[in-house]
Amino acid sequence: MVRVIELARSTGLELAVRSGGHSAAGHSVVDGGIVLDVSDMKAIDIDVERHTVWAASGLTAVELAEALDEHGLAIGFGDTGSVGIGGITLGGGVGYLVRKYGLTIDDLIGAEIVTADGAILRVDADHDPDLFWAIRGGGGNFGVVTRFRYRVHEVGQVLGGMLILPATSETVAGFIAAAAAAPEELSTIANVMPCPPMPFVPAEHHGELVVFGILACVGDPAAAERAIAPFRALATPLADLVRPIRYPEIYPPEDPDYHPTAVSRTMFIDHVDGEVAALILDRLAASDASVRVAQLRVLGGAMARVPVDATAFAHRASRIMVNVAAFYDGPDDKPIREAWVTELASALDQGDHGAYVNFLGDEGVERVHAAYPGATWDRLAAVKARYDPTNLFHRNQNIPPSA
């Protein structure tokens, strides 16, 4: 690791760092440079009594989830099991435990990182605290994290899975209202989209607009059933796969050969009422993209109680995270889908101009500033100047060092 970083520094070759390889902007690969691939680093050291774990940065979310589940423990990552824990953690981590236990970084209590000068540092609240602050949300700007130390939680069985409802303005707005009113033990994702041809949904509904909900509720089973009930009451479900599961089962199986191309826009909004829901449905119906979606995640809970300056994630007060996306077929189709995504995102703008860095593509410096506004950017740039003054680690959503 140190020798690779020294080689990149001494030769001037561009350096990319790869963990799970889910970078939408393509930052984890580079032509004519060096790819530092940590995906073979899989060590796990679980301390069951202290409820902590040291996890190597090559692990995927589902790999670590399965190892922890053997002890009835869990940590919240994102919504895709094959994502590497390195990228999801460094950018924040919004997943199925976000309302109960906060972001992934809220459970990060230490890390081992190799910096641009080849130093190997153990960082936490007491050792290099500014660097520890920066890697909790600031991405891969500051070095290569080789190991993460997390606080983990007793989770075990959850009530979770897919709930698919017909999409109307009432069900879309009702889903968001129910998610906002739910106990913090419940976190949800609502994908408003045409229904895929799934065998457990009647064929006559394939292609119709649906609320493709994914729900996960931890804690007492009876209380979890009560928390889920308002969603089931919104309409007769087209499919109800919500059931008691082990936490890692919330990550569905993935086809390793499935590599769709998409354009997307990440943003935050304040509310989804009937008018906003109708707008979403109208725009989805007007598109003929093979897949198009407005994904809505109600935030709040434990995530919102962390002071905004405690980490480099600056959007604690934002209420709903939205991702608008459309698949495209070839280079000629891409501008058409980009225009649709841009138009819908503009129509949904409610004045919160933040962005979630883990969902940014190659969108330019203004969008990176949106992820790290104001004082957050200034502090990150100062930390960057101390630990990576030549900007060796720049294949990321880059924060150049301050002068």
Side-chain angles (χ1 to χ4, degrees):
M1 182 79 66
V2 173
R3 289 183 178 181
V4 173
I5 291 173
E6 289 176 344
L7 177 65
R9 190 176 65 245
S10 63
T11 62
L13 289 171
E14 196 166 19
L15 177 64
V17 182
R18 177 183 174 90
S19 177
H22 273 255
S23 171
H27 290 147
S28 55
V29 294
V30 61
D31 291 329
I34 300 170
V35 177
L36 202 170
D37 191 333
V38 303
S39 60
D40 286 337
M41 301 175 68
K42 302 288 190 183
I44 302 173
D45 183 7
I46 303 171
D47 188 328
V48 176
E49 291 186 1
R50 290 185 173 85
H51 283 191
T52 62
V53 60
W54 276 104
S57 57
L59 290 159
T60 64
V62 72
E63 287 171 340
L64 184 52
E66 289 173 345
L68 290 170
D69 186 60
E70 294 179 8
H71 304 280
L73 302 172
I75 181 173
F77 286 111
D79 57 20
T80 303
S82 60
V83 167
I85 67 170
I88 187 82
T89 299
L90 295 175
V94 180
Y96 294 114
L97 300 179
V98 66
R99 285 167 51 82
K100 178 61 176 176
Y101 296 120
L103 302 168
T104 307
I105 54 172
D106 298 332
D107 281 323
L108 184 65
I109 55 177
E112 183 179 87
I113 181 171
V114 184
T115 53
D117 61 359
I120 302 173
L121 304 178
R122 281 273 187 97
V123 301
D124 55 32
D126 298 316
H127 304 89
D128 292 280
D130 284 344
L131 180 57
F132 183 55
W133 173 86
I135 66 171
R136 286 178 291 160
N141 276 281
F142 309 97
V144 181
V145 178
T146 55
R147 294 199 302 161
F148 297 91
R149 189 180 185 218
Y150 301 104
R151 178 192 306 110
V152 294
H153 306 278
E154 293 185 7
V155 172
Q157 183 174 285
V158 304
L159 185 65
M162 291 184 289
L163 180 69
I164 302 178
L165 304 170
T168 64
S169 57
E170 292 78 16
T171 56
V172 173
F175 192 103
I176 301 306
E184 294 178 3
E185 286 75 11
L186 177 64
S187 295
T188 65
I189 299 175
N191 295 295
V192 187
M193 60 186 293
C195 185
M198 294 180 161
F200 46 81
V201 176
E204 61 267 26
H205 298 294
H206 294 173
E208 293 182 355
L209 292 179
V210 298
V211 181
F212 191 117
I214 308 175
L215 304 91
C217 193
V218 301
D220 176 70
E225 288 286 355
R226 291 193 296 271
I228 298 290
F231 298 87
R232 289 172 164 150
L234 290 170
T236 301
L238 303 177
D240 185 349
L241 279 68
V242 178
R243 59 187 176 85
I245 56 175
R246 302 300 297 181
Y247 180 72
E249 294 180 71
I250 201 70
Y251 297 117
E254 298 178 51
D255 181 354
D257 297 322
Y258 182 57
H259 301 292
T261 51
V263 290
S264 64
R265 180 85 170 188
T266 180
M267 59 190 297
F268 297 100
I269 63 175
D270 182 66
H271 67 275
V272 176
D273 56 17
E275 182 177 351
V276 173
L279 169 69
I280 292 170
L281 294 174
D282 178 69
R283 299 301 197 276
L284 288 168
S287 172
D288 62 354
S290 58
V291 175
R292 64 269 192 195
V293 60
Q295 182 186 83
L296 310 168
R297 306 184 191 215
V298 171
L299 304 174
M303 167 193 155
R305 288 193 293 273
V306 176
V308 70
D309 60 353
T311 69
F313 183 91
H315 311 289
R316 301 284 181 173
S318 295
R319 298 187 63 190
I320 302 168
M321 184 163 71
V322 179
N323 291 295
V324 179
F327 286 11
Y328 65 89
D329 301 312
D332 292 339
D333 191 40
K334 186 177 181 181
I336 299 171
R337 307 311 170 190
E338 285 180 330
W340 179 86
V341 165
T342 300
E343 193 278 333
L344 177 50
S346 177
L348 289 173
D349 183 2
Q350 296 174 1
D352 184 334
H353 300 299
Y356 177 39
V357 72
N358 276 348
F359 288 159
L360 283 181
D362 186 7
E363 300 174 35
V365 66
E366 288 187 7
R367 292 286 285 158
V368 185
H369 272 280
Y372 305 116
T376 300
W377 178 274
D378 295 340
R379 185 174 175 185
L380 285 168
V383 176
K384 179 78 168 181
R386 178 179 175 187
Y387 291 95
D388 184 16
T390 66
N391 206 7
L392 177 69
F393 300 106
H394 64 268
R395 286 198 62 79
N396 44 46
Q397 302 297 349
N398 193 236
I399 302 161
S402 58

